[in-house]
Amino acid sequence: MSSSSGRAGGDATDLVCQLDCVQGMVDALSSVRWKRHQDAVAEISEHGIVLIVEDTGCLQGKVYLKRELFIVYEYAAEGRPRFGLSLGLFVDCLNTFSTPGHSPVIEIRYPGPDMQLLLKSVDSPDACIYAEIRTRIPDTISWGYNFEPAGNIPVTFTVRSAVLKEAIDDLEWPGSNIQITLQPDPPSVTFRGDGHGDLQIEFPYHANTDLLIAFQCDHAVSHRFKYKFLGATTSNIPSGVLKENRGSKVTIGRGGMLKIQHLVSVRRPATPHSRGDTSGLQQLGHIAYIEFFVKPEED
Amino acid sequence: MKFKAVLTQDGVNLLDKRFLPALDKLGRFCHVFLTPDHAMFLHNLLGGDGVQSVAQFNKDVLFTDYRISSQNADRIAFAVEVAPLNRALRSALTIQAQAGDDTAAIQIKLVKKLSARSREPAPFLTFETKGRSAVVQDVPISKPLSRADVLQIQSALDAAQDLPQTLVQVPDLAQLQSLVERLKNVGDLLTVAITQYGDLHLQVSTSLINVGSEFRRLRVLGVRADPPVSDRNLSAPMRMDMAIQRGEALSVQVNLRHLAKSLQCHLAKPDCAFYGIAPQGACMTVIFQFFIPGTRLTDKSISFYCRLPVLDPG
């Protein structure tokens, strides 16, 4: 693969990168797309690209695309350039690049002559797809999602992503607010929805080792979250994550801030999927990290 | 006004498995236009701002024992819903198969009958299949079109003979269809440009995004030119702009949904397809080509093309 010059035409280009797994990137970005039209802020650095999405100061989603995910990653900026763009358009646009049975190599370049994000397919000389996405100056609001552990020992549990999604989907029926409680004795996690009726879902740690992969809690904590925001954290988990039996990590921080982390595979579809791979450790280079922060409801 | 004919086996196969499913995707209703030499299925030739399509068959491809007469130079046109037509043909085919006798012919004719729904006799296209017993199916059709409407169809057909100067062969219909389906999420307004070098350029633009696809070095029919060497390192949109400035390309804007619709024509299993832009950018033309089975020779007895209306860029 020839790497193209990062300084085409003498204009300063902050980033030129190439990717050979468009579908994986679409999956990763779709997992934080909880509305059709949604704005995102992208931040690029020598380590990779981070996309941040936010809703009414209560919910934030982040996608970390590390530089290892790209086959070429040439970063030449000072500081960490940030720009705003429409997440929906970015995903729909990436989708046009992926054709069934063919995984093209695409080049992403920023900024274009008019500060656009430029994309083009580079693997076929006779058929090329290209896109220019208008970017905007990102909002300067401070992102108030400083996550700090609640005590010396983080209060956290890891559960299979499919189980977490199923539980949250089930809680849609009572709707309204969902109370999440972790208690050390007996070690368990409880989701309780109280609205049109009430529904309680309990994950006892010892009863079923398949349910909770990890559990850590030295004192009982309990916080309420709006269902709307909690639902957004799992509503668009790519089906690959569920099939590959991956785990999601849920942590409750100081003040009841909820952090949910998923791992999304970003790799060429040609690679046969290894079954029963729960850790995915051997493929960490091909993982996009997804993080959600949900602010608790104040009582 | 009389029309009566027996469907050939080839005709049944062409219509049932290929053309009627494609025509149904183009629009629920079509016009059937019968002349002493040809049978045609038409969409949107009498006004309407949708995709115009013409599927024309030499009468001998579809029929034997073809008898037509009318006071309008032996031409008859009427509107019919495609799906019931296909259903009637399919069940006629089943009856024929059950008879286990290839000579059990499917005859179609125009009739006027009293139906349960009205007191006035209504027009039907009747399929009569003589298997073990004769089975008759009536497909409701419109009243025959007036002389003025038939003239309008004829002049629209004549106007469509104006071929684009340059046609390029569409690379891969399935791949193009998948691209167009995905582009639908981005926007509706599609710019199509075709160069004399054999480049096809599709671009959807909105205020926030431009997404395009360029296919190069396609087969060219008609007027062609050699691509300038200096273009090689330009971006795809630049290359297209230069070609238009040099007068070696034409560009029009069409509705992406219209292009998607025309791509459904591949249900008719054409052997290849060509895109062109009519002189003065009057429309985008899509021509499907059919080979004589087992050869690479064009089957001149079938012609199938679409004309996509051009949108006013203002």
Side-chain angles (χ1 to χ4, degrees):
Chain A
M1 183 56 56
S2 64
S3 80
S4 32
S5 160
R7 304 263 159 193
D11 292 330
T13 303
D14 291 342
L15 176 72
V16 179
C17 59
Q18 289 189 353
L19 179 78
D20 66 353
C21 43
V22 181
Q23 193 52 49
M25 185 125 155
V26 168
D27 283 352
L29 296 176
S30 299
S31 50
V32 295
R33 186 186 185 186
W34 55 79
K35 281 192 293 200
R36 178 148 172 75
H37 299 289
Q38 217 172 352
D39 280 330
V41 171
E43 186 179 283
I44 53 182
S45 71
E46 68 272 34
H47 305 297
I49 304 172
V50 185
L51 245 103
I52 309 161
V53 192
E54 208 260 354
D55 194 353
T56 58
C58 294
L59 169 67
Q60 188 185 67
K62 280 183 168 180
V63 182
Y64 295 88
L65 302 165
K66 293 181 305 168
R67 65 179 300 157
E68 289 80 6
L69 295 177
F70 300 90
I71 49 178
V72 172
Y73 193 89
E74 289 170 8
Y75 174 79
E78 307 262 322
R80 295 187 165 193
R82 290 175 125 215
F83 55 89
L85 83 170
S86 156
L87 176 70
L89 275 182
F90 189 29
V91 172
D92 288 340
C93 167
L94 280 171
N95 245 327
T96 59
F97 285 83
S98 85
T99 41
H102 174 63
S103 192
V105 176
I106 66 167
E107 181 183 277
I108 301 176
R109 186 181 280 264
Y110 177 83
D114 201 15
M115 300 306 280
Q116 316 95 316
L117 185 68
L118 306 175
L119 293 89
K120 67 174 181 190
S121 62
V122 289
D123 54 345
S124 161
D126 286 346
C128 126
I129 303 181
Y130 63 87
E132 299 173 7
I133 304 176
R134 166 96 40 108
T135 64
R136 56 178 173 73
I137 299 164
D139 301 331
T140 46
I141 54 154
S142 61
W143 304 84
Y145 295 89
N146 290 328
F147 188 87
E148 291 168 32
N152 292 333
I153 303 171
V155 177
T156 178
F157 65 93
T158 305
V159 60
R160 296 196 195 293
S161 306
V163 173
L164 182 66
K165 178 173 169 56
E166 200 177 323
I168 293 179
D169 285 353
D170 286 347
L171 288 162
E172 189 183 2
W173 159 68
S176 190
N177 288 334
I178 306 298
Q179 180 139 26
I180 301 180
T181 307
L182 274 81
Q183 58 179 36
D185 191 27
S188 66
V189 181
T190 309
F191 290 79
R192 186 181 165 79
D194 221 340
H196 307 298
D198 54 71
L199 176 68
Q200 183 164 311
I201 299 172
E202 202 174 325
F203 296 159
Y205 182 41
H206 292 309
N208 185 345
T209 48
D210 270 353
L211 208 53
L212 291 184
I213 302 160
F215 180 85
Q216 190 172 289
C217 169
D218 60 349
H219 63 283
V221 287
S222 183
H223 293 279
R224 286 146 61 83
F225 304 91
K226 262 213 165 64
Y227 181 78
K228 180 168 86 159
F229 300 133
L230 204 56
T233 65
T234 55
S235 59
N236 286 309
I237 289 189
S239 57
V241 171
L242 308 178
K243 275 188 221 140
E244 286 167 24
N245 230 353
R246 291 192 187 278
S248 294
K249 186 175 179 187
V250 182
T251 312
I252 295 183
R254 182 173 294 168
M257 178 79 87
L258 183 73
K259 177 161 92 171
I260 300 183
Q261 294 162 292
H262 308 301
L263 306 175
V264 175
S265 233
V266 179
R267 62 185 151 183
R268 296 193 66 137
T271 317
H273 289 231
S274 50
R275 285 186 170 271
D277 165 26
T278 51
S279 65
L281 277 172
Q282 64 272 46
Q283 286 141 353
L284 277 185
H286 298 288
I287 295 290
Y289 295 84
I290 315 293
E291 263 180 16
F292 287 95
F293 297 95
V294 188
K295 278 190 185 165
E297 289 283 282
E298 308 214 339
D299 286 322
Chain B
M1 182 175 295
K2 279 184 184 154
F3 168 71
K4 194 159 97 174
V6 174
L7 276 162
T8 61
Q9 207 54 47
D10 278 353
V12 172
N13 290 338
L14 274 173
L15 290 177
D16 174 45
K17 296 268 173 13
R18 296 166 60 174
F19 276 86
L20 291 180
L23 295 172
D24 193 28
K25 295 279 184 188
L26 280 167
R28 199 172 142 203
F29 290 90
C30 73
H31 283 121
V32 175
F33 183 35
L34 303 165
T35 72
D37 301 315
H38 294 104
M40 288 172 242
F41 297 84
L42 315 168
H43 278 98
N44 293 320
L45 258 71
L46 283 180
D49 54 2
V51 177
Q52 288 189 354
S53 80
V54 176
Q56 176 180 297
F57 302 89
N58 199 318
K59 73 171 198 308
D60 299 328
V61 175
L62 299 185
F63 305 108
T64 57
D65 211 0
Y66 185 86
R67 291 178 203 175
I68 187 167
S69 68
S70 84
Q71 293 184 343
N72 192 4
D74 294 334
R75 292 175 300 182
I76 302 174
F78 53 86
V80 64
E81 192 179 345
V82 181
L85 188 63
N86 203 2
R87 273 200 299 276
L89 186 63
R90 187 152 300 175
S91 64
L93 204 56
T94 314
I95 294 157
Q96 195 184 40
Q98 281 166 353
D101 175 7
D102 281 352
T103 57
I106 303 171
Q107 187 187 62
I108 63 171
K109 61 182 174 191
L110 284 179
V111 295
K112 258 186 163 181
K113 279 187 186 177
L114 274 175
S115 74
R117 266 183 271 166
S118 90
R119 286 185 193 164
E120 292 283 308
F124 291 94
L125 187 64
T126 291
F127 286 71
E128 193 176 324
T129 317
K130 293 198 178 93
R132 280 177 207 148
S133 53
V135 179
V136 173
Q137 296 174 91
D138 295 326
V139 179
I141 59 172
S142 73
K143 280 189 190 155
L145 297 191
S146 67
R147 182 181 295 262
D149 283 345
V150 170
L151 280 176
Q152 196 183 334
I153 285 183
Q154 189 59 58
S155 60
L157 285 170
D158 294 342
Q161 298 303 315
D162 225 1
L163 277 185
Q165 283 195 314
T166 299
L167 288 163
V168 292
Q169 182 169 354
V170 182
D172 173 346
L173 279 179
Q175 194 193 338
L176 193 60
Q177 197 169 22
S178 139
L179 174 74
V180 166
E181 284 306 313
R182 286 155 201 264
L183 281 175
K184 271 190 197 167
N185 291 324
V186 179
D188 264 350
L189 187 65
L190 178 75
T191 305
V192 181
I194 292 169
T195 69
Q196 295 171 3
Y197 329 129
D199 300 346
L200 167 67
H201 200 113
L202 307 171
Q203 181 177 301
V204 173
S205 307
T206 71
S207 56
L208 291 174
I209 189 168
N210 294 331
V211 189
S213 185
E214 185 194 42
F215 301 92
R216 306 185 70 193
R217 288 179 263 276
L218 303 173
R219 194 175 142 216
V220 180
L221 297 185
V223 178
R224 73 186 72 206
D226 288 326
V229 181
S230 57
D231 272 13
R232 211 168 280 165
N233 296 319
L234 294 176
S235 72
M238 293 269 285
R239 209 162 22 226
M240 191 50 59
D241 284 346
M242 303 285 283
I244 291 171
Q245 279 172 27
R246 279 192 294 264
E248 292 173 335
L250 280 179
S251 160
V252 287
Q253 290 193 316
V254 298
N255 187 326
L256 183 65
R257 277 156 216 284
H258 287 164
L259 182 66
K261 231 173 203 186
S262 74
L263 281 164
Q264 299 280 2
C265 293
H266 88 187
L267 286 171
K269 303 193 184 82
D271 290 295
C272 50
F274 293 89
Y275 283 177
I277 293 171
Q280 282 92 46
C283 68
M284 176 177 166
T285 306
V286 182
I287 297 174
F288 299 98
Q289 196 178 25
F290 295 84
F291 294 150
I292 296 168
T295 71
R296 306 274 299 167
L297 299 171
T298 306
D299 185 344
K300 293 204 172 110
S301 57
I302 304 174
S303 111
F304 189 23
Y305 58 88
C306 296
R307 285 155 57 94
L308 277 57
V310 168
L311 305 175
D312 185 359

